Amino acid sequence: MRIFVIKDGHEAGPYTDKELRLHWANGAFAAEDLAWCLGQPEWLPLPEFFASPFKENYAANVYPPFEPKPASYYLSYLEEYRGQF
């Protein structure tokens, strides 16, 4: 898992869970610093991030089901942006 942290308005990372906990224990991060990882809906203060059930689901590879969009969605997207690049 790649975890990013916002400390003093600057983004840092990515960190593994183990690295982040080590930095936390050493005082490199404070309770008001925010953490986020892929799939998490929002940035959370570190204490909440560590307690988040999301991380356990992520680690267990429990993901919401993926439902691809129909081909017409992608074709209309291409038509809309054709010639802009």
Side-chain angles (χ1 to χ4, degrees):
M1 175 181 346
R2 296 167 33 120
I3 304 167
F4 295 87
V5 175
I6 294 180
K7 179 174 182 60
D8 300 326
H10 296 27
E11 188 174 310
Y15 299 101
T16 64
D17 187 65
K18 185 177 180 178
E19 291 170 333
L20 185 59
R21 288 180 185 276
L22 180 63
H23 288 304
W24 170 259
N26 290 335
F29 294 120
E32 62 271 5
D33 295 332
L34 303 174
W36 175 87
C37 63
L38 182 64
Q40 187 168 318
E42 61 189 357
W43 291 84
L44 295 174
L46 280 172
E48 290 179 40
F49 180 83
F50 288 134
S52 171
F54 172 81
K55 289 186 350 357
E56 284 73 29
N57 289 341
Y58 186 92
N61 294 322
V62 177
Y63 302 101
F66 174 72
E67 296 182 28
K69 297 186 183 313
S72 59
Y73 169 84
Y74 299 104
L75 292 173
S76 66
Y77 179 83
L78 289 173
E79 285 296 320
E80 183 179 342
Y81 292 99
R82 180 176 287 184
Q84 291 187 14
F85 300 101

PDB file of all heavy atoms in Angstrom, residues 20-51:
ATOM      1  N   LEU A  20       5.330   4.434   7.569  1.00  0.00           N
ATOM      2  CA  LEU A  20       4.538   5.520   8.145  1.00  0.00           C
ATOM      3  C   LEU A  20       4.435   5.382   9.656  1.00  0.00           C
ATOM      4  O   LEU A  20       4.598   6.357  10.394  1.00  0.00           O
ATOM      5  CB  LEU A  20       3.143   5.550   7.517  1.00  0.00           C
ATOM      6  CG  LEU A  20       2.250   6.705   7.953  1.00  0.00           C
ATOM      7  CD1 LEU A  20       2.886   8.051   7.616  1.00  0.00           C
ATOM      8  CD2 LEU A  20       0.888   6.579   7.300  1.00  0.00           C
ATOM      9  N   ARG A  21       4.210   4.175  10.142  1.00  0.00           N
ATOM     10  CA  ARG A  21       4.120   3.953  11.587  1.00  0.00           C
ATOM     11  C   ARG A  21       5.459   4.229  12.279  1.00  0.00           C
ATOM     12  O   ARG A  21       5.488   4.759  13.395  1.00  0.00           O
ATOM     13  CB  ARG A  21       3.635   2.537  11.879  1.00  0.00           C
ATOM     14  CG  ARG A  21       2.178   2.358  11.540  1.00  0.00           C
ATOM     15  CD  ARG A  21       1.691   0.948  11.823  1.00  0.00           C
ATOM     16  NE  ARG A  21       0.331   0.774  11.374  1.00  0.00           N
ATOM     17  CZ  ARG A  21      -0.740   1.112  12.069  1.00  0.00           C
ATOM     18  NH1 ARG A  21      -0.616   1.658  13.266  1.00  0.00           N
ATOM     19  NH2 ARG A  21      -1.944   0.923  11.590  1.00  0.00           N
ATOM     20  N   LEU A  22       6.555   3.918  11.609  1.00  0.00           N
ATOM     21  CA  LEU A  22       7.881   4.204  12.169  1.00  0.00           C
ATOM     22  C   LEU A  22       8.098   5.714  12.277  1.00  0.00           C
ATOM     23  O   LEU A  22       8.541   6.211  13.318  1.00  0.00           O
ATOM     24  CB  LEU A  22       8.965   3.568  11.305  1.00  0.00           C
ATOM     25  CG  LEU A  22      10.401   3.773  11.773  1.00  0.00           C
ATOM     26  CD1 LEU A  22      10.631   3.117  13.134  1.00  0.00           C
ATOM     27  CD2 LEU A  22      11.373   3.196  10.753  1.00  0.00           C
ATOM     28  N   HIS A  23       7.756   6.450  11.217  1.00  0.00           N
ATOM     29  CA  HIS A  23       7.886   7.916  11.260  1.00  0.00           C
ATOM     30  C   HIS A  23       6.974   8.512  12.341  1.00  0.00           C
ATOM     31  O   HIS A  23       7.348   9.461  13.029  1.00  0.00           O
ATOM     32  CB  HIS A  23       7.550   8.533   9.906  1.00  0.00           C
ATOM     33  CG  HIS A  23       8.591   8.294   8.859  1.00  0.00           C
ATOM     34  ND1 HIS A  23       9.907   8.653   9.013  1.00  0.00           N
ATOM     35  CD2 HIS A  23       8.507   7.726   7.631  1.00  0.00           C
ATOM     36  CE1 HIS A  23      10.590   8.335   7.936  1.00  0.00           C
ATOM     37  NE2 HIS A  23       9.760   7.761   7.077  1.00  0.00           N
ATOM     38  N   TRP A  24       5.781   7.960  12.471  1.00  0.00           N
ATOM     39  CA  TRP A  24       4.836   8.412  13.497  1.00  0.00           C
ATOM     40  C   TRP A  24       5.434   8.191  14.885  1.00  0.00           C
ATOM     41  O   TRP A  24       5.415   9.083  15.733  1.00  0.00           O
ATOM     42  CB  TRP A  24       3.523   7.657  13.326  1.00  0.00           C
ATOM     43  CG  TRP A  24       2.517   7.825  14.415  1.00  0.00           C
ATOM     44  CD1 TRP A  24       2.264   6.956  15.423  1.00  0.00           C
ATOM     45  CD2 TRP A  24       1.628   8.919  14.612  1.00  0.00           C
ATOM     46  NE1 TRP A  24       1.263   7.443  16.229  1.00  0.00           N
ATOM     47  CE2 TRP A  24       0.854   8.641  15.752  1.00  0.00           C
ATOM     48  CE3 TRP A  24       1.398  10.105  13.927  1.00  0.00           C
ATOM     49  CZ2 TRP A  24      -0.125   9.506  16.220  1.00  0.00           C
ATOM     50  CZ3 TRP A  24       0.422  10.956  14.398  1.00  0.00           C
ATOM     51  CH2 TRP A  24      -0.324  10.665  15.534  1.00  0.00           C
ATOM     52  N   ALA A  25       5.986   7.010  15.116  1.00  0.00           N
ATOM     53  CA  ALA A  25       6.571   6.682  16.417  1.00  0.00           C
ATOM     54  C   ALA A  25       7.781   7.555  16.729  1.00  0.00           C
ATOM     55  O   ALA A  25       8.030   7.887  17.893  1.00  0.00           O
ATOM     56  CB  ALA A  25       6.966   5.206  16.457  1.00  0.00           C
ATOM     57  N   ASN A  26       8.525   7.950  15.705  1.00  0.00           N
ATOM     58  CA  ASN A  26       9.714   8.796  15.890  1.00  0.00           C
ATOM     59  C   ASN A  26       9.374  10.281  15.988  1.00  0.00           C
ATOM     60  O   ASN A  26      10.264  11.110  16.145  1.00  0.00           O
ATOM     61  CB  ASN A  26      10.713   8.571  14.753  1.00  0.00           C
ATOM     62  CG  ASN A  26      11.350   7.213  14.825  1.00  0.00           C
ATOM     63  OD1 ASN A  26      11.438   6.606  15.889  1.00  0.00           O
ATOM     64  ND2 ASN A  26      11.804   6.714  13.688  1.00  0.00           N
ATOM     65  N   GLY A  27       8.083  10.624  15.851  1.00  0.00           N
ATOM     66  CA  GLY A  27       7.674  12.014  15.992  1.00  0.00           C
ATOM     67  C   GLY A  27       7.799  12.848  14.729  1.00  0.00           C
ATOM     68  O   GLY A  27       7.652  14.069  14.776  1.00  0.00           O
ATOM     69  N   ALA A  28       8.049  12.205  13.597  1.00  0.00           N
ATOM     70  CA  ALA A  28       8.187  12.955  12.347  1.00  0.00           C
ATOM     71  C   ALA A  28       6.846  13.512  11.873  1.00  0.00           C
ATOM     72  O   ALA A  28       6.808  14.510  11.159  1.00  0.00           O
ATOM     73  CB  ALA A  28       8.796  12.068  11.259  1.00  0.00           C
ATOM     74  N   PHE A  29       5.759  12.857  12.265  1.00  0.00           N
ATOM     75  CA  PHE A  29       4.427  13.317  11.898  1.00  0.00           C
ATOM     76  C   PHE A  29       3.625  13.595  13.155  1.00  0.00           C
ATOM     77  O   PHE A  29       3.830  12.965  14.189  1.00  0.00           O
ATOM     78  CB  PHE A  29       3.704  12.277  11.038  1.00  0.00           C
ATOM     79  CG  PHE A  29       4.338  12.061   9.692  1.00  0.00           C
ATOM     80  CD1 PHE A  29       4.806  10.806   9.322  1.00  0.00           C
ATOM     81  CD2 PHE A  29       4.476  13.100   8.792  1.00  0.00           C
ATOM     82  CE1 PHE A  29       5.387  10.603   8.097  1.00  0.00           C
ATOM     83  CE2 PHE A  29       5.067  12.908   7.561  1.00  0.00           C
ATOM     84  CZ  PHE A  29       5.521  11.650   7.213  1.00  0.00           C
ATOM     85  N   ALA A  30       2.683  14.533  13.029  1.00  0.00           N
ATOM     86  CA  ALA A  30       1.831  14.922  14.159  1.00  0.00           C
ATOM     87  C   ALA A  30       0.395  14.468  13.911  1.00  0.00           C
ATOM     88  O   ALA A  30       0.030  14.098  12.799  1.00  0.00           O
ATOM     89  CB  ALA A  30       1.876  16.439  14.332  1.00  0.00           C
ATOM     90  N   ALA A  31      -0.412  14.528  14.946  1.00  0.00           N
ATOM     91  CA  ALA A  31      -1.799  14.069  14.868  1.00  0.00           C
ATOM     92  C   ALA A  31      -2.616  14.856  13.846  1.00  0.00           C
ATOM     93  O   ALA A  31      -3.575  14.333  13.285  1.00  0.00           O
ATOM     94  CB  ALA A  31      -2.452  14.153  16.236  1.00  0.00           C
ATOM     95  N   GLU A  32      -2.233  16.099  13.597  1.00  0.00           N
ATOM     96  CA  GLU A  32      -3.000  16.908  12.640  1.00  0.00           C
ATOM     97  C   GLU A  32      -2.574  16.694  11.193  1.00  0.00           C
ATOM     98  O   GLU A  32      -3.211  17.178  10.267  1.00  0.00           O
ATOM     99  CB  GLU A  32      -2.928  18.397  12.984  1.00  0.00           C
ATOM    100  CG  GLU A  32      -1.546  18.977  12.938  1.00  0.00           C
ATOM    101  CD  GLU A  32      -0.788  18.867  14.255  1.00  0.00           C
ATOM    102  OE1 GLU A  32      -1.279  18.262  15.217  1.00  0.00           O
ATOM    103  OE2 GLU A  32       0.333  19.389  14.307  1.00  0.00           O
ATOM    104  N   ASP A  33      -1.483  15.952  10.954  1.00  0.00           N
ATOM    105  CA  ASP A  33      -1.071  15.639   9.589  1.00  0.00           C
ATOM    106  C   ASP A  33      -2.085  14.675   8.979  1.00  0.00           C
ATOM    107  O   ASP A  33      -2.687  13.855   9.667  1.00  0.00           O
ATOM    108  CB  ASP A  33       0.334  15.034   9.575  1.00  0.00           C
ATOM    109  CG  ASP A  33       1.386  16.030  10.048  1.00  0.00           C
ATOM    110  OD1 ASP A  33       1.180  17.244   9.879  1.00  0.00           O
ATOM    111  OD2 ASP A  33       2.406  15.586  10.591  1.00  0.00           O
ATOM    112  N   LEU A  34      -2.280  14.793   7.669  1.00  0.00           N
ATOM    113  CA  LEU A  34      -3.301  14.011   6.976  1.00  0.00           C
ATOM    114  C   LEU A  34      -2.671  12.888   6.165  1.00  0.00           C
ATOM    115  O   LEU A  34      -1.579  13.053   5.609  1.00  0.00           O
ATOM    116  CB  LEU A  34      -4.105  14.916   6.046  1.00  0.00           C
ATOM    117  CG  LEU A  34      -4.785  16.108   6.703  1.00  0.00           C
ATOM    118  CD1 LEU A  34      -5.433  16.992   5.643  1.00  0.00           C
ATOM    119  CD2 LEU A  34      -5.815  15.647   7.720  1.00  0.00           C
ATOM    120  N   ALA A  35      -3.381  11.763   6.057  1.00  0.00           N
ATOM    121  CA  ALA A  35      -2.901  10.622   5.282  1.00  0.00           C
ATOM    122  C   ALA A  35      -3.980  10.175   4.308  1.00  0.00           C
ATOM    123  O   ALA A  35      -5.182  10.320   4.562  1.00  0.00           O
ATOM    124  CB  ALA A  35      -2.520   9.472   6.211  1.00  0.00           C
ATOM    125  N   TRP A  36      -3.526   9.605   3.187  1.00  0.00           N
ATOM    126  CA  TRP A  36      -4.431   9.106   2.156  1.00  0.00           C
ATOM    127  C   TRP A  36      -3.745   7.970   1.408  1.00  0.00           C
ATOM    128  O   TRP A  36      -2.523   7.983   1.227  1.00  0.00           O
ATOM    129  CB  TRP A  36      -4.772  10.225   1.186  1.00  0.00           C
ATOM    130  CG  TRP A  36      -5.609   9.776   0.023  1.00  0.00           C
ATOM    131  CD1 TRP A  36      -6.966   9.689  -0.022  1.00  0.00           C
ATOM    132  CD2 TRP A  36      -5.140   9.350  -1.256  1.00  0.00           C
ATOM    133  NE1 TRP A  36      -7.366   9.227  -1.245  1.00  0.00           N
ATOM    134  CE2 TRP A  36      -6.257   9.013  -2.022  1.00  0.00           C
ATOM    135  CE3 TRP A  36      -3.880   9.215  -1.815  1.00  0.00           C
ATOM    136  CZ2 TRP A  36      -6.165   8.553  -3.330  1.00  0.00           C
ATOM    137  CZ3 TRP A  36      -3.777   8.747  -3.114  1.00  0.00           C
ATOM    138  CH2 TRP A  36      -4.914   8.437  -3.863  1.00  0.00           C
ATOM    139  N   CYS A  37      -4.534   6.995   0.957  1.00  0.00           N
ATOM    140  CA  CYS A  37      -4.032   5.959   0.061  1.00  0.00           C
ATOM    141  C   CYS A  37      -5.080   5.708  -1.017  1.00  0.00           C
ATOM    142  O   CYS A  37      -6.246   6.095  -0.873  1.00  0.00           O
ATOM    143  CB  CYS A  37      -3.676   4.677   0.810  1.00  0.00           C
ATOM    144  SG  CYS A  37      -5.045   3.866   1.628  1.00  0.00           S
ATOM    145  N   LEU A  38      -4.662   5.084  -2.093  1.00  0.00           N
ATOM    146  CA  LEU A  38      -5.519   4.845  -3.244  1.00  0.00           C
ATOM    147  C   LEU A  38      -6.839   4.193  -2.843  1.00  0.00           C
ATOM    148  O   LEU A  38      -6.842   3.218  -2.101  1.00  0.00           O
ATOM    149  CB  LEU A  38      -4.790   3.953  -4.246  1.00  0.00           C
ATOM    150  CG  LEU A  38      -5.537   3.640  -5.527  1.00  0.00           C
ATOM    151  CD1 LEU A  38      -5.760   4.914  -6.318  1.00  0.00           C
ATOM    152  CD2 LEU A  38      -4.776   2.637  -6.347  1.00  0.00           C
ATOM    153  N   GLY A  39      -7.922   4.754  -3.319  1.00  0.00           N
ATOM    154  CA  GLY A  39      -9.241   4.215  -3.052  1.00  0.00           C
ATOM    155  C   GLY A  39      -9.917   4.794  -1.827  1.00  0.00           C
ATOM    156  O   GLY A  39     -11.116   4.626  -1.642  1.00  0.00           O
ATOM    157  N   GLN A  40      -9.155   5.474  -0.994  1.00  0.00           N
ATOM    158  CA  GLN A  40      -9.737   6.080   0.205  1.00  0.00           C
ATOM    159  C   GLN A  40     -10.480   7.343  -0.224  1.00  0.00           C
ATOM    160  O   GLN A  40      -9.959   8.129  -1.013  1.00  0.00           O
ATOM    161  CB  GLN A  40      -8.631   6.428   1.191  1.00  0.00           C
ATOM    162  CG  GLN A  40      -9.132   6.901   2.526  1.00  0.00           C
ATOM    163  CD  GLN A  40      -8.012   6.959   3.537  1.00  0.00           C
ATOM    164  OE1 GLN A  40      -7.185   6.068   3.586  1.00  0.00           O
ATOM    165  NE2 GLN A  40      -7.984   8.002   4.312  1.00  0.00           N
ATOM    166  N   PRO A  41     -11.691   7.566   0.262  1.00  0.00           N
ATOM    167  CA  PRO A  41     -12.480   8.697  -0.227  1.00  0.00           C
ATOM    168  C   PRO A  41     -11.963  10.075   0.173  1.00  0.00           C
ATOM    169  O   PRO A  41     -12.255  11.051  -0.499  1.00  0.00           O
ATOM    170  CB  PRO A  41     -13.872   8.449   0.362  1.00  0.00           C
ATOM    171  CG  PRO A  41     -13.661   7.522   1.503  1.00  0.00           C
ATOM    172  CD  PRO A  41     -12.429   6.734   1.201  1.00  0.00           C
ATOM    173  N   GLU A  42     -11.187  10.174   1.259  1.00  0.00           N
ATOM    174  CA  GLU A  42     -10.738  11.498   1.695  1.00  0.00           C
ATOM    175  C   GLU A  42      -9.459  11.380   2.526  1.00  0.00           C
ATOM    176  O   GLU A  42      -9.098  10.317   2.992  1.00  0.00           O
ATOM    177  CB  GLU A  42     -11.824  12.179   2.523  1.00  0.00           C
ATOM    178  CG  GLU A  42     -12.190  11.411   3.782  1.00  0.00           C
ATOM    179  CD  GLU A  42     -13.404  11.988   4.484  1.00  0.00           C
ATOM    180  OE1 GLU A  42     -13.931  13.016   4.033  1.00  0.00           O
ATOM    181  OE2 GLU A  42     -13.822  11.407   5.481  1.00  0.00           O
ATOM    182  N   TRP A  43      -8.788  12.511   2.684  1.00  0.00           N
ATOM    183  CA  TRP A  43      -7.622  12.589   3.555  1.00  0.00           C
ATOM    184  C   TRP A  43      -8.103  12.533   4.998  1.00  0.00           C
ATOM    185  O   TRP A  43      -9.107  13.160   5.335  1.00  0.00           O
ATOM    186  CB  TRP A  43      -6.871  13.900   3.314  1.00  0.00           C
ATOM    187  CG  TRP A  43      -6.188  13.960   1.978  1.00  0.00           C
ATOM    188  CD1 TRP A  43      -6.762  14.325   0.796  1.00  0.00           C
ATOM    189  CD2 TRP A  43      -4.827  13.667   1.695  1.00  0.00           C
ATOM    190  NE1 TRP A  43      -5.838  14.273  -0.208  1.00  0.00           N
ATOM    191  CE2 TRP A  43      -4.627  13.872   0.319  1.00  0.00           C
ATOM    192  CE3 TRP A  43      -3.748  13.249   2.469  1.00  0.00           C
ATOM    193  CZ2 TRP A  43      -3.399  13.669  -0.297  1.00  0.00           C
ATOM    194  CZ3 TRP A  43      -2.524  13.055   1.852  1.00  0.00           C
ATOM    195  CH2 TRP A  43      -2.358  13.263   0.492  1.00  0.00           C
ATOM    196  N   LEU A  44      -7.382  11.795   5.829  1.00  0.00           N
ATOM    197  CA  LEU A  44      -7.754  11.670   7.242  1.00  0.00           C
ATOM    198  C   LEU A  44      -6.591  12.055   8.136  1.00  0.00           C
ATOM    199  O   LEU A  44      -5.428  11.802   7.792  1.00  0.00           O
ATOM    200  CB  LEU A  44      -8.123  10.213   7.566  1.00  0.00           C
ATOM    201  CG  LEU A  44      -9.358   9.636   6.896  1.00  0.00           C
ATOM    202  CD1 LEU A  44      -9.465   8.151   7.215  1.00  0.00           C
ATOM    203  CD2 LEU A  44     -10.598  10.371   7.359  1.00  0.00           C
ATOM    204  N   PRO A  45      -6.867  12.645   9.313  1.00  0.00           N
ATOM    205  CA  PRO A  45      -5.798  12.843  10.292  1.00  0.00           C
ATOM    206  C   PRO A  45      -5.164  11.480  10.607  1.00  0.00           C
ATOM    207  O   PRO A  45      -5.849  10.448  10.610  1.00  0.00           O
ATOM    208  CB  PRO A  45      -6.518  13.420  11.511  1.00  0.00           C
ATOM    209  CG  PRO A  45      -7.775  14.019  10.961  1.00  0.00           C
ATOM    210  CD  PRO A  45      -8.152  13.168   9.795  1.00  0.00           C
ATOM    211  N   LEU A  46      -3.870  11.467  10.849  1.00  0.00           N
ATOM    212  CA  LEU A  46      -3.158  10.195  11.034  1.00  0.00           C
ATOM    213  C   LEU A  46      -3.795   9.255  12.048  1.00  0.00           C
ATOM    214  O   LEU A  46      -3.931   8.060  11.764  1.00  0.00           O
ATOM    215  CB  LEU A  46      -1.693  10.448  11.379  1.00  0.00           C
ATOM    216  CG  LEU A  46      -0.814  10.772  10.174  1.00  0.00           C
ATOM    217  CD1 LEU A  46       0.571  11.197  10.622  1.00  0.00           C
ATOM    218  CD2 LEU A  46      -0.736   9.610   9.235  1.00  0.00           C
ATOM    219  N   PRO A  47      -4.218   9.725  13.244  1.00  0.00           N
ATOM    220  CA  PRO A  47      -4.830   8.779  14.175  1.00  0.00           C
ATOM    221  C   PRO A  47      -6.073   8.088  13.590  1.00  0.00           C
ATOM    222  O   PRO A  47      -6.271   6.893  13.788  1.00  0.00           O
ATOM    223  CB  PRO A  47      -5.193   9.635  15.392  1.00  0.00           C
ATOM    224  CG  PRO A  47      -4.267  10.801  15.321  1.00  0.00           C
ATOM    225  CD  PRO A  47      -4.070  11.052  13.854  1.00  0.00           C
ATOM    226  N   GLU A  48      -6.882   8.838  12.840  1.00  0.00           N
ATOM    227  CA  GLU A  48      -8.064   8.250  12.204  1.00  0.00           C
ATOM    228  C   GLU A  48      -7.662   7.308  11.077  1.00  0.00           C
ATOM    229  O   GLU A  48      -8.291   6.271  10.871  1.00  0.00           O
ATOM    230  CB  GLU A  48      -8.978   9.344  11.658  1.00  0.00           C
ATOM    231  CG  GLU A  48      -9.683  10.153  12.720  1.00  0.00           C
ATOM    232  CD  GLU A  48     -10.557  11.229  12.117  1.00  0.00           C
ATOM    233  OE1 GLU A  48     -11.223  10.974  11.079  1.00  0.00           O
ATOM    234  OE2 GLU A  48     -10.573  12.336  12.673  1.00  0.00           O
ATOM    235  N   PHE A  49      -6.623   7.685  10.339  1.00  0.00           N
ATOM    236  CA  PHE A  49      -6.147   6.833   9.249  1.00  0.00           C
ATOM    237  C   PHE A  49      -5.689   5.480   9.783  1.00  0.00           C
ATOM    238  O   PHE A  49      -6.029   4.440   9.229  1.00  0.00           O
ATOM    239  CB  PHE A  49      -5.003   7.520   8.501  1.00  0.00           C
ATOM    240  CG  PHE A  49      -4.466   6.708   7.363  1.00  0.00           C
ATOM    241  CD1 PHE A  49      -5.103   6.728   6.129  1.00  0.00           C
ATOM    242  CD2 PHE A  49      -3.352   5.913   7.524  1.00  0.00           C
ATOM    243  CE1 PHE A  49      -4.620   5.964   5.068  1.00  0.00           C
ATOM    244  CE2 PHE A  49      -2.860   5.152   6.472  1.00  0.00           C
ATOM    245  CZ  PHE A  49      -3.506   5.186   5.245  1.00  0.00           C
ATOM    246  N   PHE A  50      -4.937   5.494  10.874  1.00  0.00           N
ATOM    247  CA  PHE A  50      -4.458   4.234  11.447  1.00  0.00           C
ATOM    248  C   PHE A  50      -5.609   3.357  11.926  1.00  0.00           C
ATOM    249  O   PHE A  50      -5.517   2.137  11.907  1.00  0.00           O
ATOM    250  CB  PHE A  50      -3.482   4.490  12.597  1.00  0.00           C
ATOM    251  CG  PHE A  50      -2.150   5.011  12.160  1.00  0.00           C
ATOM    252  CD1 PHE A  50      -1.559   6.078  12.804  1.00  0.00           C
ATOM    253  CD2 PHE A  50      -1.463   4.431  11.114  1.00  0.00           C
ATOM    254  CE1 PHE A  50      -0.318   6.555  12.415  1.00  0.00           C
ATOM    255  CE2 PHE A  50      -0.220   4.898  10.706  1.00  0.00           C
ATOM    256  CZ  PHE A  50       0.351   5.967  11.354  1.00  0.00           C
ATOM    257  N   ALA A  51      -6.712   3.977  12.353  1.00  0.00           N
ATOM    258  CA  ALA A  51      -7.855   3.223  12.860  1.00  0.00           C
ATOM    259  C   ALA A  51      -8.865   2.877  11.766  1.00  0.00           C
ATOM    260  O   ALA A  51      -9.828   2.165  12.023  1.00  0.00           O
ATOM    261  CB  ALA A  51      -8.553   4.031  13.956  1.00  0.00           C
TER     262      ALA A  51
END
